[in-house]
Amino acid sequence: MSAPTSGHVPSDEIRSRFSAALSAMYRAEVPQYGDLLTLVADINADTLKRDPALAEGLGQAGELGRLSEERHGAIRVGTAEELATIARAFAVMGMEPVSYYNLAPAGVPVHSTAFRPTDPEALRRNPFRVFCSLLRMELIEDAALREEATATLARRDIFTPGARELIDAAERQGGLDEGQADRFVSELLETFRWHAEATVSAGTYERLVAAHRLIADVVSFKGPHINHLTPRTLDIDAAQAAMPMRGITPKETIEGPPARACPILLRQTSFKALEEKIAFPGADGAVAGTHTARFGEIEQRGCALTPTGRALYDAALAKKDFTALPDDWTQLRRQGLAWFRYAPSDQGLARAGRLSGDLDSLVGSGDVVAQPITYEDFLPVSAAGIFQSNLGAEARGSAYAVDPAKADFEAALGRPVHDEMALYQAEQDASVAATLKALGVSQPVAV
């Protein structure tokens, strides 16, 4: 989509409006999500009060302003056309596909990407993300059931005519005006809305559930209802402990790294998925039933790790021994294990033009400040763990132990996904260049 012209609402603003509208809708649909928001807000306030240094660091990094608005959601689509169109809709809001996640080896028959802003400033304005999964129809072993599921999905349109019209308009015009932006939010919201009326018979639903609960969730309804929204906490261990006291039943374990002095990557927990009443079509009228899919999730985001750091983390995860991964910001930075954003300090700016040395010495002298870059993406093992705990889906057999189908996913998407590591590298490199220019240091430096 071309750059917005005068009179068009910035994509960041459309994203903020949609994120707020989606949160309000989900809160009305799943009241316990509202309880989760209150719990997270209380814990974040207590954490910041207890740890002034953390509050100062988040403020310097521009993280405090985004904290209360931060959300990620998740949806599951059934066809390539649905994925390609949702990608176009997210592009209107400045959200692009980042990374490829293959969840099939963990027993979940989907592959996924995360739609999010890629520009650091856009992330600070509103870091709304949606983890979007595409059903892998080839993993339905029963050929007759696979054909029925394919036909069922072919009959539905998850987008309103108005949403399609406005996506076209945004691409044609390079953006949307005020009235169009408000209508776009309203129309697209319908794609994410819960529908309690199934589009398949109770018998077909049961056969889909037997194949995999997630397959039933994707195929059996009018649209890809939002299945969770996730606020960001600063202390997920405190949130996990507090959930039962608020009448919320959490999953048994927190997904992701263990608790650390220097948080890394992503830690997630959730409350158990709700059993919701649904109606199946029947020859003599609606047939009552239940469906389990939607839940509430909390996340704690830490620092993004470099490829070297991720390799250390993955090895530590396999061994369940994290001692090889330093729990110290200086060592994480010096060993090139985590990404950092650099900025000149007030002291450094006062001495601009009279400084020399490499970047590490400038940090050591207090002339440059290094802030860890927040991890904006997801961990496939954690995503699979959340899905399994809420869908009752255990790991399956050899049918799901397939090679990643990234090329197939990108063909369905209509474009390549971004490499998350390249985005973090670009942010770090840009901050280094800007810092050295501000300080008048021109010699090559080691990061």
Side-chain angles (χ1 to χ4, degrees), residues 118-138:
T118 56
D119 176 73
E121 284 305 315
L123 281 164
R124 278 190 275 278
R125 283 190 283 271
N126 188 304
F128 180 55
R129 320 167 187 81
V130 176
F131 191 82
C132 183
S133 300
L134 173 64
L135 178 63
R136 296 189 65 177
M137 198 68 75
E138 74 274 15

Side-chain angles (χ1 to χ4, degrees), residues 141-162:
E141 295 181 17
D142 182 328
L145 184 63
R146 185 167 62 248
E147 288 180 14
E148 187 171 358
T150 300
T152 300
L153 290 171
R155 288 194 295 268
R156 77 179 188 182
D157 188 348
I158 66 172
F159 302 97
T160 66

Side-chain angles (χ1 to χ4, degrees), residues 215-399:
I215 297 172
D217 184 59
V218 174
V219 174
S220 303
F221 297 93
K222 182 180 178 181
H225 40 260
I226 188 83
N227 59 70
H228 67 271
L229 274 180
T230 306
R232 177 181 170 190
T233 185
L234 298 173
D235 189 341
I236 200 165
D237 297 283
Q240 178 87 344
M243 283 166 76
M245 293 182 280
R246 303 285 183 104
I248 303 171
T249 304
K251 70 185 297 292
E252 288 76 12
T253 57
I254 294 171
E255 301 286 346
R260 293 164 47 93
C262 301
I264 57 170
L265 299 173
L266 177 67
R267 303 180 74 207
Q268 296 171 286
T269 189
S270 69
F271 63 69
K272 294 299 181 87
L274 308 171
E275 186 173 81
E276 301 180 88
K277 293 180 180 179
I278 61 172
F280 297 102
D284 300 319
V287 177
T290 61
H291 180 67
T292 303
R294 300 195 298 167
F295 56 94
E297 186 180 81
I298 299 173
E299 66 182 18
Q300 180 174 354
R301 292 190 171 268
C303 183
L305 298 183
T306 64
T308 305
R310 274 301 295 270
L312 260 183
Y313 170 77
D314 290 343
L317 188 64
K319 296 176 183 175
K320 293 183 170 53
D321 179 2
F322 289 82
T323 54
L325 195 61
D327 196 6
D328 173 87
W329 291 127
T330 299
Q331 290 308 310
L332 286 169
R333 181 176 57 79
R334 286 179 172 169
Q335 294 181 38
L337 302 178
W339 298 111
F340 285 82
R341 183 186 305 107
Y342 295 86
S345 66
D346 291 340
Q347 169 190 300
L349 289 172
R351 302 203 295 165
R354 295 177 283 124
L355 294 169
S356 61
D358 63 17
L359 192 62
D360 188 54
S361 68
L362 291 169
V363 173
S365 65
D367 294 301
V368 170
V369 175
Q371 291 283 351
I373 295 176
T374 297
Y375 185 60
E376 305 288 354
D377 298 291
F378 296 90
L379 301 174
V381 172
S382 296
I386 292 284
F387 279 12
Q388 289 164 353
S389 68
N390 282 287
L391 290 167
E394 71 287 349
R396 298 296 176 108
S398 60

Side-chain angles (χ1 to χ4, degrees), residues 182-232:
D182 284 341
R183 283 197 294 118
F184 172 79
V185 168
S186 177
E187 296 284 351
L188 189 61
L189 207 60
E190 295 306 309
T191 298
F192 292 75
R193 190 179 297 281
W194 169 249
H195 299 280
E197 299 80 24
T199 56
V200 300
S201 69
T204 298
Y205 175 83
E206 290 303 330
R207 287 192 291 131
L208 291 167
V209 168
H212 198 289
R213 283 186 177 276
L214 187 142
I215 297 172
D217 184 59
V218 174
V219 174
S220 303
F221 297 93
K222 182 180 178 181
H225 40 260
I226 188 83
N227 59 70
H228 67 271
L229 274 180
T230 306
R232 177 181 170 190

